[in-house]
């Protein structure tokens, strides 16, 4: 398949899950078990094949992004535990030259982080021009876990008179403005919410408990967070409603089937890169002369 066709396919996989206008977004309209046209287990190899071709197109696009050195791409991943963030990142990365890509994970903030505004630690990790930056969690935790657990907000050392019930609306506004600022500076922002069902999360946790090779992945704290499931879903829905924009859309990706999640994420990354005017830099007359002279010299000895 030609790159053009692969890009067309990638758009078909990504489009149904792209949210560019948040206003009417409802989480209940996205089925975590959705697999689009791949209805049967037997379709899995076809999806895997599509992913493989997608990754080769991705390699080509990233090479141009790097050579052109104008745009930067920031991909952010948010999800409940065990939704498959790490696996999705790993798969997309496999089509990418590590030289032009950095991955950062944002865990509980350190005391140094808490001594600053909440965007500070993420700003330090923004991608260079020509690079792809991947955030495994991000400043969106500030309207998710921090909203669900007010004790985290209390630890942020904010002046008390700045903390009232308007704070979430203000954070959404600041995030929208920040992402617009990035867009205006050539940093292309795309956000992914891997939407796993509560039932599938339970199955994956049990698997982590039963399989000795996966024991390390299990934390009882993750399981305890299940008690707050509905609060999280509400926070995710609001976050998407308030921060999905044309310039920085969310992709709400069904995550009950890992192989499908990966196809959609790869599709979204490909459609993003393909939407940029990527091209290898043109070589000017001076450079052409320099190349010709170098060739002559090399051939003369
Ligand atoms: P894994 O998938 O390997 O478990 P993880 O991203 O869940 O990776 P953990 O160390 O298990 O990593 O968890 C990080 C925790 O940090 C999450 O529970 C997340 O909600 C929390 N966290 C991230 N950012 C913030 C923040 N700004 N304030 C409070 N907690 C945060
Ligand atoms: Mg975790």
């Amino acid at each position: 398949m030609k790159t053009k066709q692969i890009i067309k396919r990638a758009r078909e996989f990504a489009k149904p899950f792209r949210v560019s206008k948040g206003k009417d977004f409802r989480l209940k309209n996205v089925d975590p078990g959705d697999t689009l046209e791949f209805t049967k287990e037997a379709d899995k190899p076809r999806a895997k094949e599509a992913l493989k071709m997608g990754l080769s197109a991705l390699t080509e696009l990233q090479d141009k992004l790097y050579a052109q050195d104008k745009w930067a791409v920031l991909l952010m991943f948010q999800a409940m535990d065990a939704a498959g963030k790490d696996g999705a990142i790993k798969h997309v990365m496999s089509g990418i030259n590590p030289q032009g890509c950095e991955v950062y994970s944002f865990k509980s903030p350190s005391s140094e982080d808490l001594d600053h505004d909440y965007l500070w630690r993420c700003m330090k990790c923004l991608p260079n021009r020509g690079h792809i930056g991947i955030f495994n969690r991000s400043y969106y935790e500030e309207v998710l876990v921090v909203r669900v657990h007010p004790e985290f907000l209390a630890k942020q050392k904010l002046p008390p008179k700045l903390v009232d019930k308007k704070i979430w609306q203000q954070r959404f506004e600041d995030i929208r403005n920040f992402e617009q600022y990035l867009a205006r500076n050539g940093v292309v922002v795309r956000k992914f919410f891997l939407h796993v069902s509560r039932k599938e999360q339970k199955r994956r946790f049990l698997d982590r408990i039963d399989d000795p090779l996966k024991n390390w992945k299990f934390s009882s704290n993750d399981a305890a967070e299940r008690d707050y499931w509905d609060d999280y879903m509400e926070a995710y829905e609001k976050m998407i409603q308030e921060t999905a924009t044309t310039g920085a859309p969310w992709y709400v990706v069904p995550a009950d089937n890992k192989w499908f999640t990966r196809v959609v994420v790869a599709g979204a990354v490909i459609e993003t890169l393909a939407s940029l005017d990527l091209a290898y830099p043109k070589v000017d007359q001076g450079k052409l002369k320099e190349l010709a002279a170098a060739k002559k010299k090399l051939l003369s000895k």
Side-chain angles (χ1 to χ4, degrees):
M1 228 196 267
K2 290 211 185 80
T3 306
K4 255 194 177 157
Q5 274 171 298
I6 296 175
I7 292 171
K8 190 168 162 266
R9 283 293 275 156
R11 281 201 194 102
E12 285 166 8
F13 291 130
K15 193 174 171 221
F17 308 108
R18 192 196 317 127
V19 184
S20 306
K21 267 202 204 89
K23 206 168 124 289
D24 299 322
F25 175 76
R26 294 290 173 275
L27 199 52
K28 66 170 169 41
N29 295 338
V30 185
D31 171 11
D34 193 0
T35 52
L36 284 180
E37 70 195 58
F38 305 107
T39 48
K40 300 182 297 286
E41 194 62 8
D43 287 331
K44 236 162 110 169
R46 212 155 51 81
K48 286 196 169 156
E49 192 53 35
L51 181 61
K52 216 164 106 191
M53 278 190 300
L55 293 180
S56 71
L58 191 57
T59 308
E60 214 179 299
L61 288 162
Q62 188 216 355
D63 202 46
K64 283 187 189 161
L65 177 84
Y66 188 84
Q68 192 187 45
D69 200 17
K70 296 249 183 283
W71 298 100
V73 175
L74 174 59
L75 310 173
M76 282 183 265
F77 289 83
Q78 291 292 154
M80 296 299 283
D81 275 296
K85 270 187 291 116
D86 294 13
I89 292 170
K90 194 159 87 182
H91 269 75
V92 172
M93 285 289 291
S94 69
I96 286 180
N97 178 354
Q99 189 146 268
C101 181
E102 292 81 35
V103 185
Y104 296 96
S105 293
F106 295 96
K107 314 257 178 196
S108 279
S110 67
S111 55
E112 191 189 14
D113 294 336
L114 291 172
D115 242 346
H116 295 84
D117 60 283
Y118 67 82
L119 286 178
W120 180 77
R121 65 174 180 161
C122 294
M123 281 203 214
K124 289 191 297 182
C125 302
L126 289 173
N128 294 3
R129 292 192 196 284
H131 285 227
I132 298 176
I134 297 181
F135 285 2
N136 185 345
R137 302 186 189 273
S138 65
Y139 47 80
Y140 279 104
E141 292 291 329
E142 296 293 334
V143 292
L144 294 168
V145 70
V146 178
R147 189 168 190 174
V148 171
H149 295 286
E151 62 273 23
F152 289 131
L153 186 62
K155 281 194 201 141
Q156 293 193 346
K157 296 169 69 177
L158 287 160
K161 74 173 199 178
L162 299 183
V163 184
D164 58 27
K165 62 179 193 308
K166 290 202 298 284
I167 195 162
W168 310 114
Q169 278 311 319
Q170 289 169 343
R171 286 191 169 189
F172 289 139
E173 189 185 332
D174 293 336
I175 288 173
R176 283 194 302 265
N177 288 339
F178 176 61
E179 291 180 354
Q180 189 175 56
Y181 162 84
L182 291 178
R184 286 174 172 163
N185 281 277
V187 183
V188 181
V189 175
R190 296 292 183 267
K191 296 137 9 182
F192 296 87
F193 168 46
L194 308 190
H195 185 28
V196 74
S197 66
R198 193 161 191 263
K199 199 169 146 205
E200 175 63 17
Q201 190 203 47
K202 179 176 172 179
R203 208 191 56 71
R204 291 183 190 173
F205 279 162
L206 288 173
D207 193 41
R208 287 177 181 189
I209 292 170
D210 293 338
D211 180 348
L213 295 180
K214 291 184 184 166
N215 283 171
W216 64 275
K217 282 195 202 175
F218 183 77
S219 124
S220 24
N221 189 44
D222 293 351
E225 283 305 277
R226 282 170 63 76
D227 293 345
Y228 300 92
W229 188 271
D230 293 344
D231 297 342
Y232 272 110
M233 291 306 116
E234 205 185 318
Y236 271 110
E237 186 174 79
K238 288 207 177 109
M239 170 193 82
I240 293 162
Q241 286 169 348
E242 294 285 342
T243 60
T245 60
T246 323
W250 275 99
Y251 290 90
V252 181
V253 187
D256 277 6
N257 297 284
K258 289 181 178 174
W259 53 274
F260 185 69
T261 309
R262 290 162 194 175
V263 171
V264 176
V265 171
V269 179
I270 292 166
E271 81 162 1
T272 301
L273 292 176
S275 72
L276 307 175
D277 48 355
L278 299 179
Y280 290 107
K282 279 233 165 60
V283 170
D284 62 17
Q285 282 302 320
K287 183 78 184 174
L288 285 174
K289 271 192 194 151
E290 191 188 315
L291 292 173
K295 186 171 174 182
K296 200 167 152 196
K297 193 169 172 203
L298 282 166
L299 292 173
S300 71
K301 286 185 217 158

